Amino acid sequence: MYAALLFNQANSDVLDEDDLVFEDDHMLGAPDVNENTMQNVTLKEILRNLSETLTYDKISKFNISRNHIWKGTKRALNRKSFQPRNKISVKFTDNIGASEGAVDLDGPAREFFTLVTKWLVNSQLFFGVETSKFLSLNANCLEEREYYLAGQIFAMSLVHVGPGPKCFAESCYYAIVKETATQNFHADVNDVPDYELRSSFGRLLKASDAKEATQIINNEKLDVLLDMAGTFQVVKTADIQNMVQKTVDWYVLGRVQAAYNSFREGLQALGVLEAMRYHPGVFREAFCYTPEILTASSFEALFANVVRQCEGSNRRLVENLVLSHWHDFLQDFLRA
């Protein structure tokens, strides 16, 4: 379809940074996902191309209460008549079901995608710190196809001019994009969500010899987990680091493959997953966290959609004066 274009924050309460260095690269296997394929194309161009398949003569309606945004979203996505290519029509309601205003393609739809994206990345579908999220494994969510629906929402948000999540850990992102799923990718010890288990791995990494490591495994009851991960073995000092790394990889990425598969299936909507596999580096900016330098323009954009008084009114004149001073302040402050 778009062939014409050819187109950690880690919890440092357990280990020091030096203790977390593994010999294997965190992104082992990433070059296999066409990282160097036509990366001069921009995300905006790719999404514009994908949006050409949208249909505006049919509508997919979302009736949303902000206090129950995921419930309303699931109802809409599971409706038999729903199609992700249709024009998105969003109507927000208050707690008693009263309409909150006009329904259109731009403002309410953009707000909807922003709110539902924020809800999803902070839900039980994901774990991890704010800037380094991984897919979790929740049996109920898997049964309810919520990972699939989340992937579909993220795909729709990008193509329908909404935001990307911008919070995935790199290993999570590339595990989604890569054909071989979660294989050949590494997680960090501090990516383990359970504090006690993370602490146990930390102590195991610091073991000075095989005897101490074996004692830690027994005392911390890690033998069952290691056995489930397929990494349980007669401990040798030289193997401790590799054993911990493989177990962490399995715990954070390997055992969650069912969730990744379902999420990946949802991302196929509107051709987004296919485009991601052609341009993993380009789409990374939409899915992974990147520190942003604050400028006067970007700061002004945060307040771009402020409700103004009627044109020609006295209050509107006062607002114009205040805004001019506000812009002057931003320019002076950021130049200081």
Side-chain angles (χ1 to χ4, degrees):
M1 177 180 57
Y2 56 91
L5 283 176
L6 279 182
F7 46 121
N8 245 321
Q9 278 186 357
N11 291 326
S12 57
D13 51 354
V14 179
L15 298 172
D16 296 329
E17 185 176 351
D18 292 339
D19 296 323
L20 298 175
V21 177
F22 291 108
E23 292 179 0
D24 293 320
D25 186 79
H26 200 63
M27 293 309 306
L28 181 63
D32 293 338
V33 288
N34 299 321
E35 187 69 63
N36 298 318
T37 304
M38 293 289 291
Q39 293 295 2
N40 57 326
V41 68
T42 66
L43 179 61
K44 186 176 181 180
E45 290 172 328
I46 298 172
L47 294 178
R48 185 188 302 118
N49 190 272
L50 292 176
S51 68
E52 291 178 359
T53 64
L54 299 180
T55 59
Y56 294 93
D57 55 339
K58 296 181 180 180
I59 294 177
S60 290
K61 294 184 178 181
F62 288 78
N63 297 303
I64 300 296
S65 168
R66 288 183 177 86
N67 291 337
H68 306 281
I69 191 165
W70 185 231
K71 289 183 179 179
T73 302
K74 287 173 63 177
R75 287 198 307 270
L77 295 177
N78 288 322
R79 196 173 293 127
K80 290 184 178 180
S81 61
F82 172 79
Q83 285 293 336
R85 299 186 187 280
N86 292 349
K87 172 183 175 180
I88 299 299
S89 175
V90 179
K91 178 182 288 186
F92 285 105
T93 60
D94 59 21
N95 292 336
I96 59 174
S99 174
E100 282 195 349
V103 180
D104 63 31
L105 180 65
D106 191 15
R110 187 184 297 273
E111 181 185 0
F112 160 69
F113 282 123
T114 300
L115 292 176
V116 74
T117 296
K118 182 178 179 180
W119 188 95
L120 284 170
V121 298
N122 290 292
S123 72
Q124 57 190 346
L125 296 175
F126 294 88
F127 71 85
V129 296
E130 186 177 352
T131 57
S132 186
K133 295 283 187 177
F134 289 85
L135 285 174
S136 66
L137 182 60
N138 184 293
N140 291 331
C141 294
L142 199 59
E143 184 178 359
E144 294 291 326
R145 298 174 67 246
E146 293 195 357
Y147 293 100
Y148 169 84
L149 297 178
Q152 191 173 53
I153 278 292
F154 288 155
M156 290 174 58
S157 179
L158 289 172
V159 179
H160 286 275
V161 200
K166 294 187 177 182
C167 63
F168 285 15
E170 282 200 5
S171 51
C172 172
Y173 171 71
Y174 282 103
I176 291 168
V177 174
K178 190 173 173 63
E179 294 279 358
T180 54
T182 55
Q183 301 172 15
N184 300 326
F185 290 96
H186 292 309
D188 192 277
V189 171
N190 280 333
D191 293 327
V192 175
D194 184 87
Y195 175 80
E196 292 185 0
L197 181 57
R198 191 166 66 244
S199 300
S200 297
F201 283 140
R203 285 188 284 272
L204 187 55
L205 277 175
K206 292 181 178 180
S208 58
D209 53 38
K211 182 178 179 180
E212 183 182 356
T214 302
Q215 185 176 4
I216 292 173
I217 291 173
N218 294 332
N219 292 343
E220 306 285 343
K221 296 181 173 59
L222 292 176
D223 51 338
V224 175
L225 181 66
L226 295 174
D227 190 38
M228 292 175 63
T231 57
F232 190 62
Q233 62 186 61
V234 176
V235 180
K236 298 179 181 179
T237 304
D239 296 336
I240 295 174
Q241 181 172 287
N242 187 49
M243 180 178 64
V244 172
Q245 178 66 78
K246 287 183 177 179
T247 307
V248 169
D249 292 342
W250 172 82
Y251 190 85
V252 175
L253 294 169
R255 70 187 180 95
V256 198
Q257 280 210 39
Y260 277 84
N261 291 339
S262 183
F263 183 80
R264 196 180 293 109
E265 185 181 352
L267 274 178
Q268 291 178 1
L270 303 175
V272 170
L273 181 61
E274 183 184 1
M276 290 170 65
R277 284 175 170 164
Y278 268 91
H279 305 283
V282 177
F283 274 88
R284 182 188 174 281
E285 67 180 84
F287 283 86
C288 298
Y289 170 76
T290 303
E292 183 178 351
I293 299 176
L294 190 62
T295 64
S297 298
S298 61
F299 202 80
E300 286 178 12
L302 296 175
F303 303 92
N305 296 320
V306 176
V307 177
R308 303 289 303 279
Q309 297 294 327
C310 295
E311 186 72 40
S313 66
N314 291 334
R315 289 189 175 183
R316 182 61 174 257
L317 294 176
V318 174
E319 286 179 350
N320 291 338
L321 179 60
V322 171
L323 285 174
S324 67
H325 285 291
W326 166 247
H327 294 154
D328 286 341
F329 167 76
L330 287 179
Q331 294 292 337
D332 294 339
F333 178 78
L334 292 174
R335 286 175 182 172

